[in-house]
Amino acid sequence: MKKTLFILITILLSIAMYGCSSGSDSEDTGDSAKPTLNFGVTNWTSTVPPTKIAAKILEDMGYEVKETNADAGSVYTGLANGDLDIFMDSWFPAQRQYIEKYSDSIESISVSYDNADSGMVVPKYMKDINDVADLKGKEDLVNNEMFAIGEGDPAMQDMKKVIDFYNLDIEMINSSEAAMLAAAQSKMDEEKPVLFYGWRPHSMFDKFDLKILSNKKVAEEKGLFDTSSVNIIVNKGLEEKAPEAYKFLSNWSISIKDMEKMIAKIDDGKNPDDVAQAWIDNHQDKIEKMKNGK
């Protein structure tokens, strides 16, 4: 009887030890969970929709995600030193200087959308101003000033070159995107001439009748403000750190029309997360293709 009891105890202890071992194995698996991915986020309206959409999809894929708000220069620096992993709103060629500067540590892995024009913008009621060259000698129409975004943005460095190229007597008034648009709107509400910086996709083109001035001469000779593409930029360590995320983002694309619709909804007060989720719900087939390869 004692021998039988000893055997039963031995069996029970073995089972208990096996259970502990299995639990330990499960914890090891948990330790290999997917890493946290950090998105760089500028204050541009065009950055929000693709960041929210990609973040939600990556969360569904098992990744932890976070967002870090910063200006463009700081975003690229963060990508280069590995503090940031992903930037969904890199404009080329306007931001080419950052790509070149940090080419050893960052890379462009996909084009989100192309035909993204940017440059000097005026309301359509300024019928005689259609090209940047048309402003020469008429700078006083706009009080010799151009409302613009932050001076640190690389596009503003190129804009200074455009002004110099045409020898325009125009001073850039740099501020935030919101302040720039508020200043421009105050002029347009009274149908006064105004000059400011604009780009697509942006809800300003839904809200106002605007036109981006052509700049054929400077685009051809200097390569400034030619048609842009918007790219996904990542730290070069992302492929090893998060291969499934890297594959998904390598296949990423979205239409500029979808972008403008979402930006307009967010500008109207809708929650960015809800807007992003609506796009995801309506594009499941596209998302699966991006995850698995085109």
Side-chain angles (χ1 to χ4, degrees), residues 6 9 19 24-25 55 67 77 87 95 98 105-106 108 121 136 139 147 169 190 203 217 249 256 263:
F6 175 78
I9 292 172
S24 177
D25 289 342
E67 298 179 12
T77 301
F87 181 41
Q95 294 168 17
Y98 290 121
S105 53
I106 67 175
S108 171
V121 171
K136 182 62 179 174
E139 295 94 335
F147 299 120
D169 183 17
E190 299 179 15
S203 59
K217 190 174 181 181
L249 292 169
I256 195 168
I263 292 169

Side-chain angles (χ1 to χ4, degrees), residues 262-274:
M262 288 187 285
I263 292 169
K265 288 177 181 178
I266 294 169
D267 283 353
D268 287 341
K270 292 193 175 180
N271 186 296
D273 288 304
D274 293 340

Side-chain angles (χ1 to χ4, degrees), residues 53-117:
I53 291 169
K56 284 179 175 292
I57 294 170
L58 288 171
E59 283 181 329
D60 288 342
M61 293 169 66
Y63 294 96
E64 294 286 335
V65 299
K66 62 184 291 188
E67 298 179 12
T68 298
N69 295 296
D71 60 54
S74 298
V75 166
Y76 282 101
T77 301
L79 287 168
N81 62 30
D83 290 336
L84 300 177
D85 299 293
I86 305 161
F87 181 41
M88 300 295 293
D89 200 21
S90 173
W91 289 64
F92 188 86
Q95 294 168 17
R96 65 192 179 282
Q97 66 193 66
Y98 290 121
I99 309 298
E100 294 168 357
K101 181 179 180 179
Y102 299 120
S103 60
D104 290 342
S105 53
I106 67 175
E107 62 178 329
S108 171
I109 61 172
S110 61
V111 175
S112 188
Y113 50 90
D114 52 21
N115 296 320
D117 295 329

